[in-house]
Amino acid sequence: MTSTTAPVTGRRLRIGIGGIGIESSTFCPHRSTTDDFRQTRGQDLLDRYTWTRADSDLADLVEWVPLLHATSLPGGPVEAESYLILKNELVTRIREAGPLDGLVYDIHGAMSVIGLTDAEGDLTEAVRAALDHHGTPDGTRPMISTAMDLHGNVSRRFAEPIDLLTAHRLAPHEDAWDTRERAARNLVHCLREGVRPHRAWVQVPVLLPGEKTSTRLEPAKSLYASLADIEGKDGILDAALWVGYAWADEPRCKAAIVVTGEDAELAAREAESLARRYWDARKDFVFVGPTGSAEECIEKAVASDKRPFLISDSGDNPTAGGAGDLAYMLGKLLAHDAIRTGKVTAVHPGITDPVAVAACFEAGIGAEVTLSVGGKVDANHGGPYELTGTVEALQRAADQKDRAEGGAYDRGVDMAAVRVGGLTVILVERRKPFHTLADFMGPADGGLGVDPRRYDLVVVKIGYLEPELHDMAADWLLALTPGGVDQDLLRLGHHRVERPLYPFDEDAYEAGDAPDLTPTLL
Ligand SMILES: [Zn+2]
């Protein structure tokens, strides 16, 4: 194993950019298709990144070659045919690009595809073969640098063909664009200096939901903060820690660590030490806030004097892969006397139901409607909820801008706000997150105009709160509701994950024999 190769001098590097990114739950009945992906090519793809611009310090060093980038809101598994369409285009574009020195591989890492195990392993093998087909302009092996979400999975099959792997260091992912830039800059550095770094890779038999591993709280905060210290050491280029994706049932789903550097021994030592610290801390990871059942959370929020009081309907969070059409929480809210009678006000945004939305548009603002809401895609938790209410506001998809927040695709959708007693429920034509004030308000002209700050309760299909919701919340509870991204992992019924695995085998290794956390040098 060599850690050096001929540096590229005297010419600009040719580096491709491409990838497919989605986080998809195998426990969710929703199916993701090509239509769910925001696909960028050519200049649109380059425009995603600041470091590809003509005024970037990298402009003189690199010719960026846009391939295909596809990113989707999280959801259910990707249909096999849709995956193949995207994969084939990416691979074809790599081959047609001619010799490339490297690839910035911009992915998520938790894609589930119907009928496939380790989708990113499959995609990466094809990408590697396509790159190696031409080799670099100098006839050497192109390098791949991967930017990932820390909720991605890192199997050996996936990691082996990749030269550089890095991931976000914050959850929520406020550093998502920094991660991609780090991947690009590390790749340029290695190609220009002729460095082929070693990767010390180790998986840790722990699988935790994101809501227990937010970097706002310990122990994730310190574990993630230590990555910069490791990276700062001589001979180390990057350190990355993946929590893994809890809502897919595959052997690769578990935590992973990769320390990358020219000093193989140091990289291995640091990877093992970090793996050990993660393992030792496994029982210290707790939910980012107080939790309860839907009924308990509603009861406490109604009784509180903190306004607005936010509740996360976490089991059906579309931004983790939930169907986003469960009416479970809606039923619980309207079962509460204070809310039903209007003594307490509540807003509950984001139940996907195109038929109900169309009926509201047909009826018009001010009309009374009787609707059968949600529970059609994910029919496992109570089915549709029948309600009669008043259409309060309507917003057309065309009035909203498509958005690629942190990379995920969030497009404009038709929406209707319907009031029943003290509750305003916001129905959406297709899956949509509510993370910002703008999501509720819409544009000043023709927007929904629902201001969540005016309600007593704000009940969102989300896990931990994204920054704007976090700032608005006078208080908050995480409701452990059912759905495709149920936070109570033990009731989901994983059976393909590798055992023993914490917390599925809570007491494994209790006898003192800790798991083998010796890294493999790739
Ligand atoms: Zn994530």
Side-chain angles (χ1 to χ4, degrees):
M1 204 173 344
T2 170
S3 69
T4 56
T5 182
V8 177
T9 52
R11 64 171 178 83
R12 281 168 95 204
L13 297 164
R14 290 195 83 230
I15 298 179
I17 308 176
I20 303 172
I22 183 172
E23 180 177 53
S24 37
S25 166
T26 59
F27 299 101
C28 175
H30 171 261
R31 294 290 175 264
S32 300
T33 67
T34 48
D35 188 45
D36 293 301
F37 284 84
R38 175 174 186 254
Q39 301 171 39
T40 45
R41 304 166 180 83
Q43 192 59 43
D44 286 345
L45 194 164
L46 295 182
D47 287 347
R48 284 171 46 83
Y49 313 97
T50 53
W51 34 269
T52 60
R53 290 181 191 158
D55 61 358
S56 161
D57 58 309
L58 297 178
D60 291 338
L61 307 176
V62 185
E63 175 201 348
W64 299 107
V65 181
L67 302 160
L68 165 70
H69 190 264
T71 181
S72 167
L73 193 66
V78 182
E79 301 260 17
E81 198 185 320
S82 289
Y83 167 68
L84 285 178
I85 288 169
L86 296 172
K87 173 187 167 184
N88 289 341
E89 180 178 338
L90 176 59
V91 165
T92 303
R93 285 184 182 274
I94 293 172
R95 279 174 164 261
E96 288 175 351
L100 293 168
D101 292 293
L103 172 71
V104 176
Y105 189 35
D106 182 357
I107 65 171
H108 182 286
M111 171 164 57
S112 302
V113 175
I114 300 287
L116 213 57
T117 298
D118 196 353
E120 275 86 3
D122 177 81
L123 182 66
T124 305
E125 283 175 358
V127 161
R128 170 48 84 187
L131 280 169
D132 289 354
H133 175 73
H134 288 294
T136 71
D138 300 334
T140 56
R141 194 177 196 221
M143 292 181 75
I144 302 176
S145 181
T146 306
M148 292 177 72
D149 189 294
L150 63 84
H151 298 118
N153 304 298
V154 184
S155 69
R156 179 169 182 166
R157 176 187 174 200
F158 161 72
E160 197 126 43
I162 298 174
D163 302 276
L164 294 157
L165 297 97
T166 196
H168 306 332
R169 293 171 180 175
L170 292 175
H173 309 317
E174 292 164 70
D175 63 333
W177 295 102
D178 299 337
T179 306
R180 298 177 178 107
E181 179 161 357
R182 187 166 65 247
R185 289 189 179 276
N186 282 346
L187 177 61
V188 172
H189 165 80
C190 287
L191 289 167
R192 283 179 54 82
E193 303 298 324
V195 175
R196 293 265 168 180
H198 301 283
R199 290 142 292 142
W201 164 87
V202 57
Q203 289 177 306
V204 186
V206 173
L207 184 62
L208 297 169
E211 280 58 31
K212 284 188 175 176
T213 47
S214 165
T215 58
R216 286 187 183 134
L217 290 181
E218 296 296 358
K221 189 176 177 182
S222 296
L223 286 162
Y224 273 92
S226 75
L227 297 177
D229 302 333
I230 299 171
E231 183 183 285
K233 299 193 178 193
D234 256 4
I236 302 296
L237 193 61
D238 191 271
L241 165 59
W242 289 263
V243 165
Y245 186 59
W247 298 289
D249 190 14
E250 292 192 23
R252 63 175 175 153
C253 296
K254 59 177 85 172
I257 284 154
V258 176
V259 178
T260 307
E262 288 183 82
D263 187 334
E265 242 174 76
L266 181 61
R269 224 167 36 238
E270 292 295 340
E272 182 162 359
S273 155
L274 182 56
R276 179 67 53 204
R277 280 184 285 137
Y278 195 85
W279 171 257
D280 288 344
R282 69 193 180 282
K283 294 185 178 175
D284 301 333
F285 291 97
V286 291
F287 282 116
V288 291
T291 60
S293 67
E295 291 92 336
E296 287 164 353
C297 292
I298 293 166
E299 198 57 60
K300 279 185 189 165
V302 166
S304 170
D305 56 4
K306 304 276 179 55
R307 298 291 184 247
F309 198 116
L310 271 75
I311 299 175
S312 293
D313 174 9
S314 64
D316 192 34
N317 172 13
T319 48
D325 93 320
L326 283 184
Y328 179 86
M329 189 51 121
L330 173 66
K332 300 293 179 192
L333 286 165
L334 286 173
H336 198 288
D337 273 346
I339 297 171
R340 198 178 53 248
T341 57
K343 250 173 69 190
V344 167
T345 61
V347 59
H348 181 39
I351 301 181
T352 309
D353 192 325
V355 174
V357 170
C360 291
F361 271 91
E362 182 140 322
I365 293 173
E368 187 179 279
V369 282
T370 296
L371 305 165
S372 166
V373 169
K376 287 145 198 156
V377 176
D378 191 341
N380 299 321
H381 306 284
Y385 183 89
E386 305 288 332
L387 64 79
T388 298
T390 309
V391 180
E392 265 191 333
L394 298 165
Q395 180 175 318
R396 279 292 182 195
D399 295 332
Q400 305 146 63
K401 273 207 185 94
D402 284 359
R403 178 177 71 175
E405 179 198 298
Y409 185 20
D410 178 18
R411 73 182 78 183
V413 296
D414 284 353
M415 300 193 243
V418 178
R419 190 169 48 76
V420 186
L423 177 75
T424 297
V425 57
I426 301 177
L427 307 172
V428 290
E429 173 198 18
R430 53 188 297 155
R431 302 165 70 255
K432 175 187 167 53
F434 283 76
H435 285 181
T436 66
L437 194 55
D439 290 327
F440 292 78
M441 300 288 288
D445 188 18
L448 212 54
V450 173
D451 187 341
R453 296 166 297 188
R454 292 208 202 116
Y455 290 81
D456 296 325
L457 273 56
V458 181
V459 184
V460 187
K461 290 183 182 292
I462 196 172
Y464 51 63
L465 297 181
E466 293 292 323
E468 281 191 33
L469 297 178
H470 189 256
D471 291 348
M472 150 196 331
D475 205 344
W476 172 62
L477 284 168
L478 181 76
L480 300 178
T481 46
V485 291
D486 196 324
Q487 296 286 335
D488 186 347
L489 300 185
L490 301 187
R491 64 186 181 191
L492 278 171
H494 291 74
H495 63 274
R496 296 184 63 218
V497 288
E498 260 174 7
R499 311 291 285 265
L501 179 68
Y502 180 85
F504 300 89
D505 307 289
E506 175 131 29
D507 297 328
Y509 308 106
E510 284 298 291
D513 37 81
D516 182 11
L517 297 173
T518 311
T520 303
L521 281 170
L522 304 177

